[in-house]
Amino acid sequence: MPRFSLIVPCFKVQGFLRECLDSVLAQSFHDIEVIAVDDRSPDGSGAILDEYAARDPRVRVLHLPENVGLGRARNAGLPHAGGDFLLFLDSDDTLTPGALQAIADRLTETGDPDVLVFDYARTYWWGGTRRNALAEVLSSTDGVFTAAEHPEILDLLMVVWNKAYRRDFVAENGFRFPPGYYEDTPWTFPVLLGAGRIATLDRICLNYRQRRQGNILSTTSRKHFDIHDQYRRVFEYVDSRPDLASWRPYLHRKMGEHCLDILAKPDRLPPAAKGEFFRRTAALYRAYRPEGADLGVLGGSYASYLLRQQAGRAGRESGRQALRVRRAAGARARRALTGLGGHRALDERLVLYSASSHRGLRGDPAAVYRKAREIAPGLRGVWVVKDAEAAAALPADVEHVLLDSPEYRRLTARAKFLVNDVNWPGSLVKRPGSVHIHTHRGTPLKYLGADLLGKPGARLGLDVPQMLRRADRWDHSLVANRHSELVWERAYPCHFTSARTGSPRNDVLVHGGPSDFRARYGIPADHTVVLYAPTRRDYVRGGHVERIDLARFAADLGAGHTLVVRLHPALATGPARGMGLAELHRRGIVVDATGEPHGEQVLLAADALVTDYSSIMFDYANLDRPIVVHADDWAAYTASRGAYLDITAEAPGHVSHSYRELAWLFASGGWRDEESARLRADFRSRFCEFDDGRAAERVVRTLLLGESMPAPDVRVPEPAPGRDLLAST
């Protein structure tokens, strides 16, 4: 008996079917059977299924004599399923790598619940990916529960394919799919309401394909009237179970919302059928109305409903018009403030700070701010943050202002100094006499600025000329080494002066300051902490590519080691963490440090760094600890993004070109041998040359206070010609 039976109904999906089946059969978890149901498909789907069954004994094919529709095709597969758990996979969707292993592990961990709900991502035909908007519901519970204990589980999309079902539970309750559209509704509600033990898995296990055409529910048809019968079936189930009577008000409201959503969609119902659909919905709503429930819009006529819809559209258009007016007024106000500023002296004490696109107290600007508070208390430092959430994360004694607020515009018109690691908004007008200090965000390895003009994929959505116009406002560009100085002056052909200060955020690394990271995450003091910090990729939409099996790497490191993972900041809020990282963190297999706002605390806690092409290696080199560069896609990366030096030839440590090589480096101890130390010493001497632990002080004294201070000692002679790729590009 296999652990999983996957039932895959197929109808007119020949263009997607191979990808679907490959995503299942290539899983690392093999204890499965696939029951593929050919729903009398008129295309080549049936032949494709037979082809797969001929070469993989785990695949069994049912050819139905007539087309019965999605729900009944699933029913046809149920009697043939012998697995402990059932999964239903639509034949144009795909499983993510490692999904079945993660589902199996979670089922074992939770003692084989009746239902396991896992996460998914929508993958659009134009290449975009978006995670389930309610993913936090899956991370808010631990162990098993019922729908009554956590009713928010019913707020998730009512679909069949984001769950694993205990086969005996399904059989005992006689759950089956009805005919017609929206067949998931009378399956999912009864299953979740009837389950005695539900568990969740906060991991994206399925890619839900959003097709440009061919989606049944986006087809204009009277078949959408089926929704009414489907909700009747839901209420019949609830009425048969007196213990579920308390759910009637919730289901009543859900039914009304669902039906009105179908009515509001422009591509669902024929225009001539919309009035009839409304009236049938209203009749159904009245028929199942709980005592005291308000009928709302469904208590009136279709004409009154249309008037409300028109009023709503008019209101939204009015709101958009008002927004345009406010934006125009804001532009005039900014110009007026700039003009006013021309008549009022700059505030010589005022310093505006921003970092990481206004996300808060981070990076080099934060280091400069802290040092200014220490040695220049006469300066007033104000942080620009993007929203109330970012403001709430600031320490209580940090003065701040919200981006684009009236106070922000007033302060930007008066500030003498503006310190940022990302360009200020284009609407900010630089006043004569103001001083813009650009800190950047580390030593550059990959192409930036004007160099991206030859890399169309890397600058997708990026207006390089506008970026350079904003960079024209810079007065000082901070550099940590002469490599950076050369790159910035090439990538940003603007009017700034390079300031050989070092990187302020690296001062704490040079001094080897304390870190509470291990204590906060419960990492034993005697563990060797290996930090894995990959960068984003420009050759895939979204930027995330899983180059390493994190669970395998953590296991291969062995006892006495902790694997810490820190993804690129651009991937922190997308689907990347949901592809397995969040679940591995929850299970204690790895530590996810992606959300840590202060990266230096993570670096201080790490005994070794594994990265690919992230600039984090230049910062970490200040600690003089082992670094391994995992460069298994270097050719693709440089072709799509470009690089200023060949990091595989001038690495700060050993280079691995495959996972096997990476695992061997750690198993053999090569990651910290004498050759590794020699490579690191050469790298540090070149790329940490101005990082002497006094960079923040140097910025404050020389650039903010106008005092003199010794330049950092240059650690090495001038680099030999030709070591950069700059000359050849």
Side-chain angles (χ1 to χ4, degrees):
M1 179 184 295
R3 186 61 166 160
F4 296 132
S5 294
L6 290 95
I7 298 176
V8 185
C10 306
F11 182 75
K12 296 178 68 173
V13 287
Q14 63 180 9
F16 307 101
L17 185 53
R18 293 182 186 278
E19 186 180 359
C20 171
L21 295 174
D22 289 344
S23 78
V24 175
L25 300 176
Q27 292 280 315
S28 59
F29 187 88
H30 300 289
D31 189 16
I32 65 172
E33 64 176 3
V34 178
I35 301 167
V37 184
D38 173 17
D39 189 18
R40 194 66 175 177
S41 184
D43 61 4
S45 296
I48 293 172
L49 294 179
D50 290 338
E51 173 193 330
Y52 273 78
R55 68 171 185 250
D56 194 317
R58 295 175 297 172
V59 180
R60 293 159 53 189
V61 181
L62 302 178
H63 293 284
L64 301 185
E66 61 180 355
N67 177 251
V68 297
L70 182 58
R72 287 190 286 183
R74 289 169 178 159
N75 290 342
L78 280 172
H80 301 272
D84 297 330
F85 281 84
L86 304 172
L87 290 95
F88 298 95
L89 179 63
D90 287 355
S91 47
D92 55 352
D93 296 338
T94 57
L95 295 181
T96 60
L100 292 182
Q101 184 64 63
I103 292 171
D105 291 344
R106 183 60 172 157
L107 289 171
T108 300
E109 183 182 19
T110 53
D112 283 6
D114 296 329
V115 183
L116 175 71
V117 186
F118 48 81
D119 203 6
Y120 65 91
R122 295 175 186 265
T123 57
Y124 294 88
W125 61 270
W126 42 264
T129 301
R130 181 167 62 86
R131 190 178 186 182
N132 165 27
L134 296 177
E136 69 275 4
V137 171
L138 301 175
S139 61
S140 63
T141 58
D142 197 12
V144 295
F145 57 91
T146 64
E149 291 168 332
H150 288 284
E152 63 273 14
I153 198 70
L154 297 178
D155 292 333
L156 296 171
L157 192 63
M158 284 290 106
V159 290
V160 65
W161 40 255
N162 66 341
K163 303 170 184 71
Y165 310 87
R166 189 167 58 83
R167 184 171 59 88
D168 289 344
F169 165 68
V170 172
E172 290 162 5
N173 287 271
F175 293 127
R176 289 294 184 273
F177 293 93
Y181 282 14
Y182 305 100
E183 74 291 334
D184 285 6
T185 299
W187 167 283
T188 308
F189 276 121
V191 163
L192 290 178
L193 294 177
R197 301 175 73 248
I198 302 172
T200 59
L201 172 60
D202 181 21
R203 186 194 194 279
I204 296 173
C205 295
L206 181 137
N207 288 319
Y208 175 32
R209 189 188 301 273
Q210 306 291 285
R211 292 159 65 178
R212 187 170 184 267
Q213 60 181 10
N215 186 332
I216 292 175
L217 293 185
S218 294
T219 302
T220 302
S221 167
R222 286 185 60 88
K223 288 288 291 180
H224 293 283
F225 280 79
D226 289 351
I227 189 64
H228 300 134
D229 286 336
Q230 308 297 23
Y231 270 102
R232 286 191 186 93
R233 293 182 174 101
V234 173
F235 279 101
E236 287 172 3
Y237 176 80
V238 171
D239 290 343
S240 71
R241 295 275 302 270
D243 57 311
L244 299 179
S246 61
W247 285 103
R248 286 181 62 91
Y250 171 85
L251 293 171
H252 182 257
R253 184 177 69 254
K254 198 78 171 178
M255 175 179 66
E257 292 172 352
H258 195 169
C259 291
L260 288 176
D261 181 64
I262 293 170
L263 181 61
K265 291 285 196 301
D267 57 352
R268 298 291 173 91
L269 294 160
K274 290 191 173 185
E276 180 187 354
F277 185 89
F278 177 88
R279 288 186 289 274
R280 288 197 187 184
T281 298
L284 189 69
Y285 204 59
R286 286 192 296 271
Y288 290 103
R289 175 187 181 185
E291 185 176 351
D294 181 16
L295 291 175
V297 66
L298 287 168
S301 66
Y302 181 56
S304 64
Y305 165 79
L306 289 178
L307 286 174
R308 286 197 182 194
Q309 291 292 98
Q310 292 168 2
R313 285 192 293 269
R316 289 190 293 272
E317 178 54 35
S318 176
R320 286 191 288 267
Q321 180 61 29
L323 179 61
R324 289 191 287 268
V325 170
R326 286 196 299 272
R327 285 176 174 170
R332 290 193 298 271
R334 286 190 291 272
R335 289 192 294 270
L337 277 172
T338 304
L340 177 63
H343 298 288
R344 299 181 63 185
L346 292 172
D347 185 341
E348 300 286 332
R349 297 174 51 254
L350 179 58
V351 187
L352 284 190
Y353 295 91
S354 181
S356 301
S357 299
H358 319 297
R359 288 185 174 89
L361 199 70
R362 303 184 182 194
D364 290 309
V368 174
Y369 169 78
R370 293 189 185 99
K371 183 59 67 174
R373 292 187 66 170
E374 175 189 336
I375 66 176
L379 295 176
R380 176 192 174 195
V382 180
W383 278 84
V384 177
V385 292
K386 63 177 183 176
D387 52 30
E389 182 180 356
L394 295 172
D397 61 343
V398 173
E399 187 178 356
H400 68 274
V401 63
L402 294 183
L403 181 68
D404 286 334
S405 66
E407 182 66 4
Y408 161 81
R409 291 190 286 271
R410 189 184 70 82
L411 291 180
T412 54
R414 296 295 313 283
K416 172 70 174 181
F417 302 100
L418 295 97
V419 181
N420 202 344
D421 63 3
V422 179
N423 262 323
W424 292 97
S427 58
L428 191 153
V429 179
K430 186 178 190 295
R431 281 192 60 190
S434 65
V435 177
H436 284 231
I437 300 171
H438 195 75
T439 69
H440 301 283
R441 301 177 73 181
T443 293
L445 171 61
K446 50 185 170 282
Y447 276 12
L448 295 162
D451 290 325
L452 291 176
L453 290 171
K455 299 289 181 180
R459 63 182 180 91
L460 181 67
L462 180 65
D463 186 339
V464 173
Q466 182 186 62
M467 176 199 298
L468 297 181
R469 287 192 293 272
R470 294 178 180 182
D472 279 330
R473 298 174 299 195
W474 302 351
D475 292 289
H476 301 285
S477 166
L478 306 191
V479 298
N481 46 66
R482 279 168 285 188
H483 163 81
S484 295
E485 185 174 305
L486 179 60
V487 168
W488 299 141
E489 292 179 5
R490 164 200 164 115
Y492 299 100
C494 303
H495 307 294
F496 58 82
T497 299
S498 293
R500 294 183 173 184
T501 58
S503 292
R505 69 167 184 258
N506 287 343
D507 289 348
V508 66
L509 303 181
V510 174
H511 295 302
S515 171
D516 64 349
F517 179 81
R518 290 188 182 221
R520 285 191 287 113
Y521 285 87
I523 300 174
D526 61 343
H527 269 214
T528 298
V529 173
V530 177
L531 171 62
Y532 175 52
T535 192
R536 70 186 304 278
R537 301 304 198 269
D538 293 288
Y539 58 76
V540 294
R541 188 182 292 272
H544 178 60
V545 178
E546 290 192 350
R547 309 303 310 176
I548 292 177
D549 183 333
L550 298 178
R552 180 182 178 186
F553 188 32
D556 288 345
L557 287 174
H561 293 75
T562 294
L563 178 61
V564 176
V565 180
R566 184 173 175 83
L567 300 181
H568 189 278
L571 303 176
T573 57
R577 296 166 82 178
M579 296 299 289
L581 178 56
E583 173 64 7
L584 293 175
H585 174 83
R586 186 195 64 77
R587 293 167 56 196
I589 295 174
V590 305
V591 173
D592 178 11
T594 305
E596 280 288 314
H598 305 298
E600 65 274 9
Q601 293 297 309
V602 185
L603 299 186
L604 286 165
D607 297 299
L609 170 67
V610 177
T611 186
D612 35 41
Y613 325 117
S614 171
S615 63
I616 199 172
M617 72 177 79
F618 298 97
D619 297 340
Y620 190 76
N622 281 285
L623 289 168
D624 196 17
R625 299 174 189 172
I627 301 173
V628 174
V629 175
H630 186 58
D632 65 335
D633 64 341
W634 176 243
Y637 185 84
T638 52
S640 63
R641 180 61 189 246
Y644 292 114
L645 65 141
D646 184 350
I647 199 62
T648 65
E650 302 179 66
H654 289 296
V655 178
S656 59
H657 298 279
S658 67
Y659 178 76
R660 183 178 181 180
E661 291 181 9
L662 176 64
W664 179 85
L665 281 172
F666 280 90
S668 66
W671 62 282
R672 55 181 176 183
D673 61 11
E674 291 184 4
E675 176 65 6
S676 170
R678 184 191 68 78
L679 293 169
R680 185 168 69 254
D682 289 346
F683 190 86
R684 290 181 68 241
S685 66
R686 182 179 178 196
F687 295 109
C688 303
E689 59 177 330
F690 300 151
D691 281 337
D692 62 354
R694 301 183 68 188
E697 179 186 1
R698 190 168 289 110
V699 172
V700 174
R701 293 195 185 281
T702 63
L703 302 184
L704 299 184
L705 299 178
E707 300 175 357
S708 61
M709 182 176 170
D713 292 332
V714 176
R715 300 185 182 182
V716 290
E718 292 285 347
R723 293 183 65 187
D724 267 318
L725 297 183
L726 288 169
S728 62
T729 53

